[in-house]
Amino acid sequence: MTSQEPLPAEDAFFQALVKADTRALDGILTGDFLIIDIMRGNVTGREGFLAAIAAQHVTFGQIEPADRQVRLYGDTAIVTGRTQMSGTSADGEFTIASRYTHVFIRQGDSSWKLASAQGTPTAG
């Protein structure tokens, strides 16, 4: 079954990253959220991720998602897509294209929360 259900939560995630809005991110991420870093493949938990965004260890000038597909499995949704991102990190400015997978779960209040994120750099 295909649906667009978790895409507003995903859009809010991308917008919060661009704005470095840790309060918004706090409401979007599950308590046990994990992200696999697109640049180095490091695994970072929720608190470390929020701290890195708050300290501006990485900032995003833009994140443009495309080619998104959603697969629903009850209260779990898997979103795959592409992004074009730009920003700055400890290594300097970056522009990167990626393929990504996001796993969302629907929680008690029926809102979608992001549980896991992983990105892989692509050629373009």
Side-chain angles (χ1 to χ4, degrees):
M1 177 179 191
T2 300
S3 171
Q4 303 302 306
E5 281 188 50
L7 293 184
E10 182 171 79
D11 290 340
F13 172 70
F14 288 141
Q15 290 168 8
L17 287 177
V18 170
K19 294 177 181 177
D21 185 345
T22 55
R23 180 173 289 167
L25 288 168
D26 185 57
I28 296 166
L29 306 178
T30 61
D32 61 350
F33 170 79
L34 292 176
I35 186 166
I36 300 173
D37 177 321
I38 192 170
M39 303 291 212
R40 295 190 175 93
N42 295 334
V43 178
T44 303
R46 182 181 196 279
E47 297 308 315
F49 178 72
L50 291 173
I53 298 299
Q56 297 186 338
H57 291 168
V58 62
T59 61
F60 296 91
Q62 71 175 38
I63 302 173
E64 297 179 17
D67 301 328
R68 298 188 287 184
Q69 295 181 343
V70 178
R71 292 177 293 148
L72 289 177
Y73 302 95
D75 288 336
T76 302
I78 299 171
V79 180
T80 57
R82 296 180 181 272
T83 57
Q84 183 70 36
M85 297 183 285
S86 64
T88 59
S89 71
D91 298 326
E93 292 186 8
F94 65 86
T95 299
I96 191 164
S98 74
R99 294 288 261 158
Y100 70 89
T101 300
H102 288 166
V103 178
F104 287 87
I105 61 168
R106 190 174 5 228
Q107 296 201 309
D109 64 357
S110 296
S111 64
W112 289 102
K113 303 291 184 183
L114 184 58
S116 188
Q118 185 274 327
T120 303
T122 62

